[in-house]
Amino acid sequence: MFTPLQAMAEDEEIVLGLSQNRVAITARFDGSDILLFGAVKRESPIPDDPLEVIVTVEGPSGPLLIRRKERRFGIWINSKVLEVDSAPAFYAVASSGPLSEVLERIENERYNITVDRNIQTVTSTVEFGNTKEFSTALVRIQQENNSYQVLENAVVVDQQTLFRTSISLPSNLTEGDYQARIFLTRGGSVISQFTTTIDVRKVGLERFLYNLAHEHAPIYGILSLVIAVVAGWGASAAFRLIREG
């Protein structure tokens, strides 16, 4: 089952399909794949310039702290901290070719398509020097845990009309609305775009524990303590039985 969606009227319109527009995070959630596919609707002949497609999926954004560690007196300590005003918890960009070839720099600056364009540093002082180093570190760390993905040549375009790609969502998803954007480009310029939302929510036991922790913190703390005590007692009893057996 998929959800058909259509872009606003343009010379070349995007008709999009999603394999799912809602992701449920359960206690056993270990990730999910979102298949995005669609077609280009046009009333005029296909232009000579080849059609390229870029797809981005962005999770909820929020402030982050980036810390640099330095070795002093034989131990590692946090020496400098940079606050990132707004960075997405998840961001993936997939393209039908190398991004440097299918997207002009000025268009990237206009639409904020690549990962680095979605990170804005606002708190810095002279002592930090080049804050780009911190932003680069953030991207590297997020890429290592699969939260940031750059998927060049991952969008398949058939006869300049049909396109498809798949985005893998990791198991450590942040709850919220995920924004999917599709861009059509020719000669590096964006000629059409479309945006839709993918709803990512905790359900079942995950939802219950999340609400309990945020709305009834004292009860959540007491419950956690009781579970820890019971688990410890159970483990101790099991070891005694093993020794006696």
Side-chain angles (χ1 to χ4, degrees):
M1 181 178 180
F2 67 89
T3 304
L5 304 158
Q6 186 168 326
M8 294 179 63
E10 293 175 321
D11 291 339
E12 294 183 278
E13 300 177 11
I14 301 171
V15 180
L16 176 69
L18 297 174
S19 60
Q20 58 187 100
N21 59 5
R22 187 174 188 273
V23 176
I25 301 178
T26 65
R28 296 183 178 181
F29 181 79
D30 60 356
S32 179
D33 289 336
I34 298 292
L35 175 63
L36 300 100
F37 55 96
V40 179
K41 178 182 177 182
R42 57 176 67 91
E43 301 295 337
S44 57
I46 298 176
D48 294 332
D49 289 338
L51 177 73
E52 305 289 354
V53 180
I54 302 173
V55 175
T56 70
V57 176
E58 179 180 355
S61 295
L64 289 176
L65 292 179
I66 307 174
R67 295 180 173 87
R68 172 189 283 174
K69 290 188 176 182
E70 293 183 357
R71 191 176 181 85
R72 296 181 181 176
F73 309 107
I75 60 174
W76 289 96
I77 61 174
N78 293 325
S79 61
K80 298 178 180 178
V81 179
L82 178 70
E83 181 182 352
V84 178
D85 179 52
S86 181
F90 174 85
Y91 194 82
V93 52
S95 58
S96 55
L99 284 168
S100 60
E101 297 179 8
V102 304
L103 182 66
E104 292 286 348
R105 179 179 177 180
I106 190 172
E107 293 290 79
N108 186 28
E109 293 176 352
R110 178 182 179 186
Y111 294 100
N112 294 328
I113 294 175
T114 58
V115 174
D116 58 297
R117 289 295 303 173
N118 275 270
I119 298 176
Q120 301 175 11
T121 56
V122 296
T123 302
S124 60
T125 64
V126 176
E127 68 173 309
F128 290 138
N130 185 8
T131 58
K132 184 178 180 181
E133 181 181 348
F134 286 82
S135 299
T136 301
L138 171 62
V139 173
R140 174 179 54 79
I141 293 170
Q142 293 291 68
Q143 285 180 329
E144 289 175 354
N145 63 28
N146 209 33
S147 293
Y148 287 176
Q149 304 172 19
V150 179
L151 309 169
E152 295 182 316
N153 299 301
V155 180
V156 178
V157 181
D158 186 15
Q159 298 184 16
Q160 300 198 58
T161 301
L162 305 176
F163 63 88
R164 67 182 183 278
T165 191
S166 179
I167 304 293
S168 296
L169 304 178
S171 57
N172 58 342
L173 280 182
T174 299
E175 184 182 41
D177 292 332
Y178 283 60
Q179 185 181 72
R181 297 184 298 164
I182 296 85
F183 299 91
L184 303 183
T185 70
R186 290 189 185 277
S189 298
V190 174
I191 60 173
S192 182
Q193 64 169 315
F194 181 66
T195 302
T196 188
T197 301
I198 302 171
D199 185 34
V200 177
R201 302 292 172 188
K202 293 181 175 67
V203 298
L205 179 61
E206 287 288 305
R207 166 55 61 185
F208 171 76
L209 294 176
Y210 180 85
N211 289 339
L212 188 65
H214 287 78
E215 299 175 7
H216 305 284
I219 297 177
Y220 179 80
I222 294 173
L223 181 61
S224 298
L225 179 61
V226 171
I227 293 175
V229 171
V230 172
W233 177 85
S236 177
F239 281 124
R240 284 201 304 271
L241 290 175
I242 294 175
R243 286 200 303 269
E244 293 173 1

